Amino acid sequence: MSRTTNKPPFRKWLKTNGWRHAVAVVVCLYALIPILYIVVGAFNPKGTLPSESLMPNGFSLISFKRLFSDPQTPFLEWYGNTIVIACTAAFLSILVSSLAAYAFSRFRFRGRRPYLLFLLLIQMFPAFLAMVALYILFSNIGDYYPAMGLNTRLGLLMVYMGGALGVSTWLMKGFFDTIPKELDEAARIDGASHAQIFFRVILPLAAPIIAISGILAFVGTMNDFVLASVFLTDRSEWTLALGLKTMVGEHADQSYRGMFAVGTLLASVLTVTIFLSLQRYIVSGLTGGAVKG
């Protein structure tokens, strides 16, 4: 008695689903090869990046030891500067943009639509177009208030916060529009003020868009090199992007390449941890803020 199976023929499976698996494998390899390159370089006993093969020829923590002991590379200081600037800029941009988004979403006032279009318009221009103006502006500010001038973390923080406001405001405004206004009216009948409605009703419901706005602001600040290189000239005030760049510069010693790999590996740990911890909010936050304008 012959056995019948419901499995489709291999050629038919290959035409319908097999090619999708092949494309997925190629994309995964394309994304993983640079990560593998950095991991192999970080644990390379020679302290350099692999040049001939991605297969490791040994295991050593010498690059880790050098990164934390070399006086020319104050890695922990750079890491601390980056975390302070990125966390503060993300928190302030979320706070200010959520307040602005609440006003644009719930109130109707003269100039509301032109202000929204203006926010959208200024986001179309890259930040480095305003670099000269920002340099002159903060140079003049530093003459009167040195704590917020050039070569200060506060000055760079203000630039990052302003750069993230437009996108965050638009994303949050779109998400706030999806929250029923009946909730506001019910709270208002119970005697709640606008501030109480915002902090106790709207913000808890807007956790997904707050999470995604925070991630975008944090990662953008962590990865920025151009603005940081203009604003920060003192080595002790540098961020990770500036510090790591010196390890692979034109005149950098080859032995610093392994330390560079370790630095990038440790820098990515924080970003990956934040992404994984807020993963459940990412899709709902992006789609919720995009369905209404």
Side-chain angles (χ1 to χ4, degrees), residues 39-244:
V39 171
V40 172
F43 295 100
N44 190 349
K46 298 179 181 178
T48 60
L49 293 176
S51 57
E52 298 178 354
S53 172
L54 281 179
M55 297 302 295
N57 53 8
F59 178 86
S60 174
L61 297 177
I62 186 171
S63 296
F64 286 81
K65 295 178 181 176
R66 287 192 58 197
L67 182 65
F68 291 107
S69 60
D70 193 330
Q72 298 297 322
T73 59
F75 179 76
L76 292 178
E77 203 168 347
W78 295 339
Y79 211 144
N81 293 339
T82 305
I83 291 176
V84 169
I85 293 174
C87 290
T88 310
F91 173 77
L92 291 178
S93 68
I94 288 174
L95 178 63
V96 176
S97 58
S98 62
L99 291 169
Y102 179 72
F104 283 123
S105 175
R106 289 300 193 265
F107 301 116
R108 297 294 179 267
F109 50 88
R110 182 177 296 179
R112 172 180 171 274
R113 186 168 181 77
Y115 289 150
L116 278 172
L117 293 177
F118 177 73
L119 279 177
L120 183 64
L121 181 65
I122 59 176
Q123 294 303 311
M124 297 178 183
F125 300 97
F128 55 81
L129 280 181
M131 194 172 297
V132 175
L134 289 172
Y135 184 88
I136 296 174
L137 175 64
F138 280 87
S139 177
N140 292 332
I141 291 175
D143 293 338
Y144 298 97
Y145 187 55
M148 204 172 73
L150 293 175
N151 199 30
T152 63
R153 285 179 286 183
L154 180 58
L156 183 62
L157 191 152
M158 297 302 292
V159 174
Y160 286 146
M161 188 189 72
L165 279 181
V167 175
S168 299
T169 302
W170 264 94
L171 283 175
M172 289 192 181
K173 189 263 179 188
F175 195 92
F176 288 172
D177 287 344
T178 65
I179 300 176
K181 294 182 179 177
E182 287 77 8
L183 294 176
D184 303 32
E185 296 169 358
R188 198 172 296 116
I189 291 174
D190 291 337
S193 63
H194 285 301
Q196 289 172 323
I197 294 173
F198 174 72
F199 285 107
R200 297 184 179 181
V201 178
I202 301 299
L203 277 191
L205 296 174
I209 197 63
I210 291 174
I212 194 63
S213 298
I215 289 175
L216 291 176
F218 182 83
V219 173
T221 305
M222 284 278 293
N223 294 334
D224 177 70
F225 174 79
V226 178
L227 286 173
S229 65
V230 172
F231 273 76
L232 303 178
T233 55
D234 192 348
R235 197 177 184 87
S236 62
E237 299 288 340
W238 281 2
T239 59
L240 268 181
L242 291 180
L244 293 176

